[in-house]
Amino acid sequence: MKIIKIPVAISFLGLVMTLGACSSNEWQVRALPTDIAVSAALDDIPDNALVRDITLPENAALSMPASVRPCCAFGFDQKVAMGLLPIPFYRHANTVALEDIGAHAFDAGTFSYEKGSPDSGKSMENNGMLYTRKGGFIDLAHVRDTADNAIALFYLIQPKLGQAQSIELPLEIGHRTFELAAFDVSYLSADDRWELAAAMAVRLAFTMAEAHEISQWHGYRSFALWTEAVSAYSLEDLYSNMLGAKIALAILTNNLAMTKQQYDYHMTGWLAATLAWLEPLSKEQTNALFRAIDGDWWDSNEPLPNKFVLLKRHYLLGDKQSPYLVSKEQAQASDQWDKVAAVYDAPASPQNLSLAVELFGINFDEVAVQHISVDKKFAGSFSHVPEELWLDGFTHLQFVEIAKYDEREDYKLLKQHLAENPHLTHQQTPLDDLPDTREQTEPQNAADTGAAINDAATIEPAIGALLNENN
């Protein structure tokens, strides 16, 4: 019998997965003018609002992305084990610098090889994590995944806006759909309908990200041999997902996703400009901050995919997200201070994010609901959650409550882990101080991201409006 060393086997498996995951989800949407748009276009002084009265054919609908991108457990230079067997001499380094990030590719899965602009060469997406002064740690795979989901949802929603429809989603812990009810849009202008469809799409895409956090906690695995519990409720995930939703909203607002190629080009530019606006650190500085919080936010002694590689988690789901910033005091107290001191020369305010839950008097939760069923093989993972919340399936309106029960279960598990590992510095919030309820945020208006932007070099002035919490 031929024996394959584990690192070689993993490399071969990665190659097979890579070659099988190339994105071929091409699209090209032709917007059709209405009679109103044609008439306005022929006027002596065209009314631009009427000229924009266009329709998207229902066959413009995209397929939902088939899978999430495989990245990244919190930390860097991590040990890796297969079962109880550690892989010697291997470390998982998953940090990147801004200049390392490659071109975006819609529904890339594990592989991409795209142009970032018409006159550039092709590149890999090169996903990973980087630290920004305003947004903390950013997971690029999460940013890209939510943006892709938002674009696909927009082209499913906009042609049928106001009509009842059901949208099938990829399976995780069970069957998933978005159920959209019928509602009146007859009083809305063409611009209003476009804005409403975009705002709904990005909000629904974000609820898919929330569902993924819950699914990972409850046993979902994209690769059967690799538990994803280490990534469930990771502290940078939902902020990164909402960042992707905000970028997608800007791209849709500016009508920059009528073809896959156009979307990939502009997503590449907007992603780079947004990260630059958030003030990214170098790869070396990001690694230094990871070292500074080792033993508190994560544990470099634990190998992936052990659950408690991650010690600090984020359970606060909802339409407002704030980043976790490493404090000056914590950085200063570490042996990494000389590498990151310049990062703290000027104070940095966290860039909070939010998404609209209501627009033009239409409450999204009343007309669009994500439904999830729980397959039998995952039912045991819900034993700590009241059956009325999940047994017959649940919706995104129950996400906050389910996350609360998951948090309390994690508290007990982490308390035991900390007792067994006294070298760790992580301090738990007392169980009695964990909130019993989590109120949803109040509705905000959808983003007004300004006029169309067709060149990545002109994006930067719009980034502040894009990320403004009250936009």
Side-chain angles (χ1 to χ4, degrees):
M1 180 175 69
K2 184 177 180 180
I3 298 176
I4 303 176
K5 293 183 179 179
I6 289 177
V8 175
I10 291 175
S11 298
F12 176 75
L13 176 62
L15 177 62
V16 172
M17 293 176 67
T18 293
L19 294 177
C22 300
S23 175
S24 60
N25 195 343
E26 298 285 345
W27 81 84
Q28 183 171 333
V29 179
R30 183 178 66 174
L32 303 176
T34 65
D35 289 345
I36 294 173
V38 172
S39 176
L42 299 180
D43 284 345
D44 292 339
I45 303 177
D47 184 333
N48 289 332
L50 297 180
V51 172
R52 289 192 292 268
D53 196 343
I54 60 175
T55 62
L56 299 179
E58 291 186 10
N59 61 10
L62 281 62
S63 299
M64 292 298 300
S67 60
V68 298
R69 291 168 171 84
C71 191
C72 295
F74 190 85
F76 90 106
D77 201 23
Q78 295 144 320
K79 301 175 182 177
V80 179
M82 293 295 288
L84 298 177
L85 182 63
I87 301 175
F89 312 116
Y90 178 82
R91 293 291 186 271
H92 179 58
N94 61 355
T95 52
V96 295
L98 179 60
E99 58 270 20
D100 298 329
I101 299 170
H104 184 81
F106 177 83
D107 193 16
T110 58
F111 178 79
S112 69
Y113 197 58
E114 297 287 326
K115 285 187 173 185
S117 63
D119 57 351
S120 69
K122 291 184 177 181
S123 67
M124 301 284 286
E125 281 191 346
N126 197 25
N127 292 317
M129 295 183 65
L130 75 165
Y131 187 87
T132 64
R133 294 183 72 245
K134 297 179 182 177
F137 292 99
I138 305 294
D139 186 325
L140 296 175
H142 281 251
V143 177
R144 296 184 194 268
D145 281 339
T146 298
D148 286 359
N149 285 332
I151 298 300
L153 285 168
F154 174 80
Y155 284 113
L156 289 164
I157 292 170
Q158 204 281 341
K160 298 181 180 179
L161 188 66
Q163 301 176 33
Q165 66 168 313
S166 180
I167 299 173
E168 292 285 332
L169 301 175
L171 297 177
E172 288 194 342
I173 57 172
H175 184 245
R176 289 196 299 164
T177 62
F178 280 124
E179 300 298 330
L180 278 70
F183 57 95
D184 183 23
V185 296
S186 62
Y187 63 97
L188 298 177
S189 68
D191 282 350
D192 290 346
R193 293 194 301 273
W194 191 278
E195 184 180 355
L196 176 61
M200 288 184 65
V202 301
R203 172 50 175 13
L204 295 183
F206 181 73
T207 70
M208 291 179 64
E210 293 179 308
H212 187 65
E213 298 298 310
I214 292 172
S215 294
Q216 287 181 310
W217 198 99
H218 289 272
Y220 167 75
R221 300 181 179 193
S222 52
F223 176 48
L225 299 179
W226 191 268
T227 175
E228 298 187 20
V230 63
S231 295
Y233 301 110
S234 191
L235 59 92
E236 82 290 356
D237 281 356
L238 289 182
Y239 185 87
S240 300
N241 288 115
M242 190 170 285
L243 195 66
K246 300 286 278 188
I247 294 172
L249 182 60
I251 290 173
L252 290 168
T253 298
N254 289 299
N255 198 13
L256 299 177
M258 296 297 282
T259 70
K260 177 185 180 297
Q261 185 180 67
Q262 184 192 37
Y263 166 63
D264 286 347
Y265 287 164
H266 290 289
M267 180 62 191
T268 299
W270 270 92
L271 176 59
T274 301
L275 292 172
W277 193 89
L278 290 171
E279 301 181 19
L281 274 57
S282 69
K283 182 175 179 178
E284 292 72 24
Q285 289 172 320
T286 294
N287 291 343
L289 284 183
F290 269 129
R291 290 190 183 97
I293 56 176
D294 189 6
D296 184 4
W297 294 20
W298 71 296
D299 183 5
S300 63
N301 293 307
E302 288 287 321
L304 292 172
N306 290 7
K307 180 181 179 76
F308 289 118
V309 168
L310 183 63
L311 302 172
K312 183 180 181 69
R313 297 177 191 264
H314 176 76
Y315 303 89
L316 293 170
L317 311 189
D319 299 299
K320 288 188 176 183
Q321 294 294 321
S322 298
Y324 289 85
L325 304 183
V326 179
S327 69
K328 180 178 180 179
E329 292 72 24
Q330 189 163 23
Q332 207 165 25
S334 75
D335 60 3
Q336 302 297 308
W337 177 244
D338 61 321
K339 300 181 180 68
V340 297
V343 175
Y344 296 91
D345 284 346
S349 299
Q351 178 60 58
N352 299 320
L353 303 176
S354 67
L355 293 175
V357 296
E358 183 176 332
L359 187 62
F360 305 122
I362 298 168
N363 186 300
F364 300 163
D365 287 340
E366 295 176 359
V367 299
V369 178
Q370 183 180 174
H371 284 270
I372 301 176
S373 62
V374 179
D375 288 348
K376 289 183 179 179
K377 67 178 180 179
F378 298 107
S381 71
F382 284 84
S383 60
H384 61 292
V385 182
E387 288 189 347
E388 60 268 21
L389 279 179
W390 64 272
L391 188 60
D392 296 321
F394 58 96
T395 76
H396 74 273
L397 302 178
Q398 279 78 54
F399 285 0
V400 168
E401 279 294 295
I402 291 172
K404 177 189 69 176
Y405 285 101
D406 292 347
E407 179 180 18
R408 289 180 170 268
E409 189 70 10
D410 271 349
Y411 179 92
K412 294 182 287 185
L413 297 173
L414 179 57
K415 183 178 182 180
Q416 179 180 347
H417 180 78
L418 293 173
E420 296 170 354
N421 294 272
H423 67 281
L424 297 174
T425 60
H426 180 79
Q427 298 294 314
Q428 286 185 289
T429 301
L431 184 60
D432 291 340
D433 291 345
L434 296 181
D436 289 327
T437 59
R438 307 286 172 81
E439 295 182 1
Q440 292 289 339
T441 56
E442 300 209 355
Q444 302 289 324
N445 292 326
D448 176 11
T449 52
I453 296 173
N454 297 305
D455 189 311
T458 66
I459 291 175
E460 185 172 355
I463 299 295
L466 161 70
L467 299 182
N468 192 316
E469 184 179 9
N470 296 315
N471 58 11

